[in-house]
Structures are given as structure tokens and as C-alpha cells.
Amino acid sequence: MKDITTSKEKLLKKVRKALLEKRDNPYPNLEDLPLYPPVDEMLEVVFAEHFTAVSGQFVFCEDEVQFIENLLELAEERKWHKIYCWEPPLQQILNTYEYPFFETDKDLEQADVGFTLCEALIARNGSIMLSNANAAGRRLSIYPPVHIVLAYTSQLVLDLKDGFKNLKQKYGNNLPSMITNITGPSRTADIEKTLVLGAHGPKELFVFLLDG
């Protein structure tokens, strides 16, 4: 009699047979091994190394005065005239040092820079964790050609799981509707495998890290 068993049925029979036969785990200690090697350096250093490796631009500042000095120098060099900042803590810092900024979305299409805070910095892969819970919402980190993030050393965490744990502690069951991780400037290599920055968002991404 001709065997009419299909290839799919043969494969399923092999799977069933393998499941019925009890075998010892050939790698009993595999799940206990760490996924990543241990980190011996400070999180600031780990983040800076990974962030700059994906074309991010990192600036460490000891205090707010140094931060403003760096921002002034950078704005003059890049000829930034329209910096948009909507988050009250950031606005307070800029107002203290009389640094001009736009606090509404008027003429946002002409913005040079979107200036925001963040939820956390993920050291392991040099990522910035953002949410729409802050006044900057979704637009300031996406629309302007340059995105600047002001963060503090206290916001540094090693892994994504640590960042999400902090979000859960901060917001409880009222998590923001948008949580995203940015790893370097917007990029694509869809066309002829040529890397292009700024394809779907900011072309440049800066992190000013303050001690505190």
C-alpha cells in the first residue's frame, strides 16, 4: 500500500516522538549564565561609549553654569536661533541664566532645536528612554532637526529592565501612552544600503549630562 503521509505529518510525528522521549538537558547551566559580561566601569562612561558609537554627541557638565556655557558655545557654532523648550524644569534653568527659547509651538516648523528631559539613560546600549508624560509630549523629540536632552547622573540605569522598573515606580498603573527608546539619531539604509541620518526624525542628537 502506498504511503500517503505528507511531509508536514512526518515532521509532526518526529516532534511528538521527541517530546515523548525524556532526555537530559545537554546544557543544564546555560540559563544560569549571565547574558552580558559584568560592567566594571561607571555607568556614565558606559553610556557615553555606547551613545557616541551610534553617532550621538555627549557632553558632561559638572553644574548648570557649565551646561549653559556649553549650550551657548554650541548654539553660536551651529547658528541655532530657535530653540523650543516646553518643560517647566528646563524653562526654569534657561530663565535663570536668561537663555532665550520658545515656550509655545508657534512656528514650530522653523525650529532649529527641540530641547527635552528624559525618563532614563540606558547605559548598556546608549539609549535614551522618553515618554509623553512630560510637557514636551511627542513632538519636540521628533520634529526639529536637532534634539537635545538634558539628563542627570541619577537617571542612569544599566539595562532596559531597570528603566521600565523606574517607570513603574514613578507612574504606577498610570503608565504614559508612549514610551520609547532612542538609540542615536534617526537613520535608514533602505536605499542602496547607504546609511542616511535624519531620515525620519532629528539628524543630530545631543545628551547633556549633569552631575546630580
Side-chain angles (χ1 to χ4, degrees):
M1 182 177 179
K2 186 177 180 180
D3 185 6
I4 58 172
T5 305
T6 64
S7 299
K8 180 180 178 180
E9 289 173 336
K10 291 179 180 178
L11 177 62
L12 291 174
K13 285 181 179 179
K14 290 182 179 180
V15 171
R16 282 194 291 268
K17 183 179 179 182
L19 291 174
L20 291 173
E21 294 179 359
K22 301 296 181 182
R23 298 181 182 179
D24 294 332
N25 185 352
Y27 308 105
N29 300 319
L30 186 61
E31 293 185 0
D32 296 328
L33 296 176
L35 183 61
Y36 297 102
V39 174
D40 298 324
E41 294 183 295
M42 298 175 63
L43 292 184
E44 295 94 320
V45 176
V46 177
F47 175 81
E49 289 177 347
H50 287 86
F51 182 65
T52 54
V54 291
S55 303
Q57 302 187 61
F58 178 82
V59 183
F60 181 81
C61 306
E62 293 184 355
D63 52 34
E64 291 179 357
V65 173
Q66 191 177 44
F67 158 64
I68 293 295
E69 289 175 348
N70 286 324
L71 184 60
L72 282 167
E73 182 179 348
L74 195 58
E76 183 178 356
E77 176 188 328
R78 301 298 184 89
K79 301 186 184 309
W80 294 337
H81 302 293
K82 294 189 175 182
I83 294 181
Y84 281 68
C85 175
W86 298 340
E87 301 184 51
L90 277 179
Q91 292 177 345
Q92 184 177 350
I93 294 174
L94 297 180
N95 282 327
T96 298
Y97 298 95
E98 299 181 349
Y99 191 95
F101 63 90
F102 289 77
E103 57 183 317
T104 70
D105 61 355
K106 182 180 180 182
D107 298 325
L108 181 61
E109 69 278 2
Q110 301 175 20
D112 295 316
V113 177
F115 193 12
T116 75
L117 296 170
C118 67
E119 296 289 356
L121 298 179
I122 313 300
R124 180 82 74 183
N125 53 2
S127 295
I128 304 165
M129 180 174 283
L130 299 176
S131 81
N132 66 330
N134 296 320
R138 302 169 185 258
R139 288 182 292 170
L140 276 192
S141 62
I142 297 175
Y143 188 80
V146 179
H147 181 201
I148 295 179
V149 176
L150 178 64
Y152 296 87
T153 52
S154 59
Q155 293 179 290
L156 280 160
V157 296
L158 183 58
D159 289 306
L160 278 170
K161 61 180 176 59
D162 304 313
F164 285 115
K165 180 180 178 182
N166 288 352
L167 283 179
K168 184 65 176 177
Q169 291 175 346
K170 182 177 180 180
Y171 296 106
N173 293 325
N174 298 313
L175 287 172
S177 60
M178 183 206 76
I179 299 171
T180 185
N181 287 287
I182 300 175
T183 307
S186 170
R187 66 189 66 211
T188 183
D190 290 343
I191 301 175
E192 297 183 355
K193 297 183 180 179
T194 301
L195 182 63
V196 177
L197 297 181
H200 310 293
K203 188 174 183 178
E204 292 185 287
L205 178 61
F206 291 82
V207 167
F208 284 83
L209 183 66
L210 266 67
D211 190 14

PDB file of all heavy atoms in Angstrom, residues 71-83:
ATOM      1  N   LEU A  71      26.134  75.091  26.038  1.00  0.00           N
ATOM      2  CA  LEU A  71      24.995  75.307  25.145  1.00  0.00           C
ATOM      3  C   LEU A  71      25.185  76.581  24.328  1.00  0.00           C
ATOM      4  O   LEU A  71      24.914  76.601  23.122  1.00  0.00           O
ATOM      5  CB  LEU A  71      23.704  75.371  25.964  1.00  0.00           C
ATOM      6  CG  LEU A  71      22.392  75.488  25.174  1.00  0.00           C
ATOM      7  CD1 LEU A  71      22.217  74.296  24.244  1.00  0.00           C
ATOM      8  CD2 LEU A  71      21.212  75.604  26.128  1.00  0.00           C
ATOM      9  N   LEU A  72      25.656  77.644  24.971  1.00  0.00           N
ATOM     10  CA  LEU A  72      25.902  78.900  24.264  1.00  0.00           C
ATOM     11  C   LEU A  72      26.951  78.729  23.168  1.00  0.00           C
ATOM     12  O   LEU A  72      26.781  79.202  22.040  1.00  0.00           O
ATOM     13  CB  LEU A  72      26.368  79.967  25.259  1.00  0.00           C
ATOM     14  CG  LEU A  72      25.291  80.631  26.118  1.00  0.00           C
ATOM     15  CD1 LEU A  72      25.933  81.426  27.254  1.00  0.00           C
ATOM     16  CD2 LEU A  72      24.399  81.529  25.273  1.00  0.00           C
ATOM     17  N   GLU A  73      28.027  78.042  23.510  1.00  0.00           N
ATOM     18  CA  GLU A  73      29.100  77.829  22.547  1.00  0.00           C
ATOM     19  C   GLU A  73      28.620  77.008  21.351  1.00  0.00           C
ATOM     20  O   GLU A  73      28.918  77.315  20.197  1.00  0.00           O
ATOM     21  CB  GLU A  73      30.270  77.127  23.236  1.00  0.00           C
ATOM     22  CG  GLU A  73      31.469  76.896  22.334  1.00  0.00           C
ATOM     23  CD  GLU A  73      32.620  76.220  23.056  1.00  0.00           C
ATOM     24  OE1 GLU A  73      32.573  76.138  24.316  1.00  0.00           O
ATOM     25  OE2 GLU A  73      33.554  75.766  22.376  1.00  0.00           O
ATOM     26  N   LEU A  74      27.839  75.972  21.651  1.00  0.00           N
ATOM     27  CA  LEU A  74      27.333  75.099  20.595  1.00  0.00           C
ATOM     28  C   LEU A  74      26.331  75.833  19.709  1.00  0.00           C
ATOM     29  O   LEU A  74      26.357  75.710  18.478  1.00  0.00           O
ATOM     30  CB  LEU A  74      26.688  73.865  21.219  1.00  0.00           C
ATOM     31  CG  LEU A  74      26.401  72.671  20.310  1.00  0.00           C
ATOM     32  CD1 LEU A  74      27.676  72.172  19.645  1.00  0.00           C
ATOM     33  CD2 LEU A  74      25.753  71.552  21.115  1.00  0.00           C
ATOM     34  N   ALA A  75      25.441  76.619  20.326  1.00  0.00           N
ATOM     35  CA  ALA A  75      24.434  77.356  19.565  1.00  0.00           C
ATOM     36  C   ALA A  75      25.080  78.388  18.654  1.00  0.00           C
ATOM     37  O   ALA A  75      24.633  78.588  17.511  1.00  0.00           O
ATOM     38  CB  ALA A  75      23.459  78.032  20.523  1.00  0.00           C
ATOM     39  N   GLU A  76      26.131  79.038  19.135  1.00  0.00           N
ATOM     40  CA  GLU A  76      26.829  80.023  18.311  1.00  0.00           C
ATOM     41  C   GLU A  76      27.549  79.347  17.147  1.00  0.00           C
ATOM     42  O   GLU A  76      27.518  79.824  16.012  1.00  0.00           O
ATOM     43  CB  GLU A  76      27.830  80.790  19.175  1.00  0.00           C
ATOM     44  CG  GLU A  76      28.557  81.891  18.420  1.00  0.00           C
ATOM     45  CD  GLU A  76      29.508  82.684  19.308  1.00  0.00           C
ATOM     46  OE1 GLU A  76      29.532  82.420  20.529  1.00  0.00           O
ATOM     47  OE2 GLU A  76      30.223  83.556  18.769  1.00  0.00           O
ATOM     48  N   GLU A  77      28.155  78.212  17.441  1.00  0.00           N
ATOM     49  CA  GLU A  77      28.877  77.472  16.396  1.00  0.00           C
ATOM     50  C   GLU A  77      27.934  76.952  15.321  1.00  0.00           C
ATOM     51  O   GLU A  77      28.227  77.017  14.121  1.00  0.00           O
ATOM     52  CB  GLU A  77      29.630  76.309  17.042  1.00  0.00           C
ATOM     53  CG  GLU A  77      30.350  75.407  16.064  1.00  0.00           C
ATOM     54  CD  GLU A  77      30.916  74.177  16.752  1.00  0.00           C
ATOM     55  OE1 GLU A  77      31.296  74.265  17.938  1.00  0.00           O
ATOM     56  OE2 GLU A  77      30.968  73.111  16.103  1.00  0.00           O
ATOM     57  N   ARG A  78      26.765  76.431  15.742  1.00  0.00           N
ATOM     58  CA  ARG A  78      25.816  75.835  14.785  1.00  0.00           C
ATOM     59  C   ARG A  78      24.791  76.842  14.260  1.00  0.00           C
ATOM     60  O   ARG A  78      23.954  76.481  13.453  1.00  0.00           O
ATOM     61  CB  ARG A  78      25.069  74.682  15.474  1.00  0.00           C
ATOM     62  CG  ARG A  78      25.966  73.573  16.007  1.00  0.00           C
ATOM     63  CD  ARG A  78      26.745  72.884  14.906  1.00  0.00           C
ATOM     64  NE  ARG A  78      27.530  71.777  15.397  1.00  0.00           N
ATOM     65  CZ  ARG A  78      27.097  70.519  15.490  1.00  0.00           C
ATOM     66  NH1 ARG A  78      25.868  70.233  15.115  1.00  0.00           N
ATOM     67  NH2 ARG A  78      27.898  69.578  15.934  1.00  0.00           N
ATOM     68  N   LYS A  79      24.846  78.067  14.777  1.00  0.00           N
ATOM     69  CA  LYS A  79      23.907  79.119  14.372  1.00  0.00           C
ATOM     70  C   LYS A  79      22.456  78.727  14.655  1.00  0.00           C
ATOM     71  O   LYS A  79      21.563  78.855  13.802  1.00  0.00           O
ATOM     72  CB  LYS A  79      24.093  79.479  12.888  1.00  0.00           C
ATOM     73  CG  LYS A  79      25.501  79.961  12.554  1.00  0.00           C
ATOM     74  CD  LYS A  79      25.608  80.445  11.132  1.00  0.00           C
ATOM     75  CE  LYS A  79      27.032  80.826  10.761  1.00  0.00           C
ATOM     76  NZ  LYS A  79      27.670  81.757  11.712  1.00  0.00           N
ATOM     77  N   TRP A  80      22.228  78.213  15.874  1.00  0.00           N
ATOM     78  CA  TRP A  80      20.871  77.905  16.308  1.00  0.00           C
ATOM     79  C   TRP A  80      20.211  79.181  16.838  1.00  0.00           C
ATOM     80  O   TRP A  80      20.741  79.835  17.741  1.00  0.00           O
ATOM     81  CB  TRP A  80      20.888  76.864  17.423  1.00  0.00           C
ATOM     82  CG  TRP A  80      21.378  75.520  16.984  1.00  0.00           C
ATOM     83  CD1 TRP A  80      21.386  75.000  15.737  1.00  0.00           C
ATOM     84  CD2 TRP A  80      21.943  74.516  17.838  1.00  0.00           C
ATOM     85  NE1 TRP A  80      21.906  73.733  15.739  1.00  0.00           N
ATOM     86  CE2 TRP A  80      22.259  73.404  17.011  1.00  0.00           C
ATOM     87  CE3 TRP A  80      22.203  74.430  19.203  1.00  0.00           C
ATOM     88  CZ2 TRP A  80      22.821  72.244  17.522  1.00  0.00           C
ATOM     89  CZ3 TRP A  80      22.768  73.278  19.714  1.00  0.00           C
ATOM     90  CH2 TRP A  80      23.076  72.195  18.875  1.00  0.00           C
ATOM     91  N   HIS A  81      19.074  79.521  16.299  1.00  0.00           N
ATOM     92  CA  HIS A  81      18.360  80.720  16.734  1.00  0.00           C
ATOM     93  C   HIS A  81      17.008  80.405  17.371  1.00  0.00           C
ATOM     94  O   HIS A  81      16.481  81.222  18.133  1.00  0.00           O
ATOM     95  CB  HIS A  81      18.157  81.673  15.548  1.00  0.00           C
ATOM     96  CG  HIS A  81      19.429  82.103  14.889  1.00  0.00           C
ATOM     97  ND1 HIS A  81      20.369  82.905  15.511  1.00  0.00           N
ATOM     98  CD2 HIS A  81      19.931  81.826  13.650  1.00  0.00           C
ATOM     99  CE1 HIS A  81      21.387  83.121  14.702  1.00  0.00           C
ATOM    100  NE2 HIS A  81      21.154  82.476  13.564  1.00  0.00           N
ATOM    101  N   LYS A  82      16.460  79.244  17.053  1.00  0.00           N
ATOM    102  CA  LYS A  82      15.133  78.909  17.565  1.00  0.00           C
ATOM    103  C   LYS A  82      15.181  77.575  18.311  1.00  0.00           C
ATOM    104  O   LYS A  82      15.089  76.500  17.713  1.00  0.00           O
ATOM    105  CB  LYS A  82      14.113  78.865  16.426  1.00  0.00           C
ATOM    106  CG  LYS A  82      13.887  80.237  15.789  1.00  0.00           C
ATOM    107  CD  LYS A  82      12.733  80.234  14.825  1.00  0.00           C
ATOM    108  CE  LYS A  82      12.472  81.646  14.307  1.00  0.00           C
ATOM    109  NZ  LYS A  82      11.306  81.709  13.395  1.00  0.00           N
ATOM    110  N   ILE A  83      15.351  77.687  19.618  1.00  0.00           N
ATOM    111  CA  ILE A  83      15.344  76.509  20.488  1.00  0.00           C
ATOM    112  C   ILE A  83      13.993  76.447  21.187  1.00  0.00           C
ATOM    113  O   ILE A  83      13.593  77.402  21.863  1.00  0.00           O
ATOM    114  CB  ILE A  83      16.491  76.584  21.515  1.00  0.00           C
ATOM    115  CG1 ILE A  83      17.840  76.489  20.801  1.00  0.00           C
ATOM    116  CG2 ILE A  83      16.365  75.465  22.545  1.00  0.00           C
ATOM    117  CD1 ILE A  83      19.034  76.533  21.730  1.00  0.00           C
TER     118      ILE A  83
END
